[in-house]
Amino acid sequence: MFAHVDVNSFYASCEKIFRPDLKDKPVIVLSNNDGCVIARSNEAKALGIKMGHPYFKLPDSYLKNNNIHVFSSNYALYADMSQRVMDTIKSLIPELEVYSIDEAFCDVTTLDQLIPFVTLGHKIRSAVKQHTHLTVGVGIGQTKTLAKLANYAAKKWSKTQGVVDLTDQRRQIKLMSLTPVEEIWGVGRSLSQQLHKFNIKTALDLAKWSPLEAKKQFSVVLERTIRELNGESCLTLESISAPRQQIVCSRSFGTKVTDIAILSEAISNYTARAAEKLREDKQYCKHITVFIKTSPFDSKQIYYSNASSEKLSATSDTRKLLAVANRLLKQIWVEGREYQKAGVILNDFCQTETNQYDLFSDSNVNLRSEKLMTTLDKINKMCSSKLFFASQGVTGQWKMKQNFLSPAYTTRINDLKIVKIA
C-alpha cells in the first residue's frame, strides 16, 4: 500500500510563504535565464498562463494589469524547503522514497491497523503545513500508479480536502472513468494521442486494455502501467537512491560570451560544482567532457557546437579536474564565435572505498588530496562557498539572467526576514 505526497505549485508556493503580501495574488516562476514559465500559483493558472510560456511574450501591460508577480528560479530556497518537507514526512512514515524535489512515495502497508488512511493523510498535510507553511496533496492506493491517480483527484476536487483514499475498487473505477488517459503517470500527451487511435481516452479504457497487447503495440512500461491500474503492484519503494551514473553541470549565459577567459571562468565553476557533487556521492570519476555551443537560433552566425573528452585516473580532486577541463576548453575554442552555453560532464564512476589504484599511484598524495577536499567542502558548507579556486574568477560575467531572484531566506543569514514590532 502506497501514499503519494505532492506539494501544490511548489516553486510558486515557496516564493509566497515568505511574502504574506502575495496571498491570493498570481505568481509565476521562470526557468534559467528568465526564459519560460515553469511554475504558477493557482491564481496564475486561473488567468490562463500556460507552463512553458515564453516570458518575453507576456507584455508588461498584461503583467501589470493582472498584478502578476514574477520570480527567477531560486533553487537554493526550493532545495532547502524540499528537505524540510521530506524531513517532516519522514517523522510520520517509516519508509519514504523521495521521487522528486516536491513529491515522495511512502510505504503505508501496515499503518491502517493503527490509523485510518484518510486520517493519516490529513495528519501528513497538517504537519507539513505547520512546519513549512506549504500545502500538500495526499493520495493512497494499492500501487504507486493508483496512489498518483488518487493524488490527482485530491488536487483537482476541493471537496476531498486534499486527501483521497483509493483503496476501494468502486472508487477506483469511478475515478478512472472521469480521468483523461494523459493524466495517468507515465502516459503524457504524446503517448495519449497514440492511444486515442485505439479508442483509449480515459484511465478506465486503459485499465481494461490487454497488457500483452499494450506491450506489443508500445512498450513494457505501458504494460506495467495497466497492471498497476488494476491493483497489481509492479513498482517497489526505492528508499535508497541508486548512485548517479553521470553528473552534468551546464547553463546558458545571460549574455553571449566572446572571451575565452570569461568562458574559462564558467567552465571552472561548472567543474568545481560537479566535483562537489561527486564527493557528496563518495565517488571518483574516470572521464570528463567539456562542451561549448553557440545559439542555434542566431541567424547572424553559423551554429557551432563542439566537445572534447579525456580519460582520467580515478579522482574527485577539484584541482586535477580543473586542469583537465581548461585544457579541453582550449582544444575546442574557436575565436570569433558568440557562445551561448557551455558545460562539463563527469562519468565512468567508481566508489571511493572500492577503487583500485594503479602501480604508480602514491597513496600519501591521494590521502592528502582527500583531506584537502573534505576540508574545503566543510568550510564552504558552513560559509556558503567562501573558498574557491582562482580560475573560477570573481566577476561572474558569464552568469545567467536572474532579474527577479528572491532572497535565500533559509540558507543565507544576511537574507533572513527582519520583523519589526511596533
Side-chain angles (χ1 to χ4, degrees), residues 230-241:
N230 286 287
E232 181 183 343
S233 183
C234 304
L235 300 168
T236 57
L237 198 75
E238 298 175 8
S239 54
I240 300 174
S241 303

Side-chain angles (χ1 to χ4, degrees), residues 59 63 72 92 170 194 256 283 288 306 383 403-404 409 422:
L63 296 171
S72 304
L92 301 169
R170 289 172 300 175
Q194 298 177 58
K256 292 174 182 172
Q283 298 202 95
I288 182 172
N306 204 350
C383 304
N403 293 334
F404 313 104
Y409 297 106

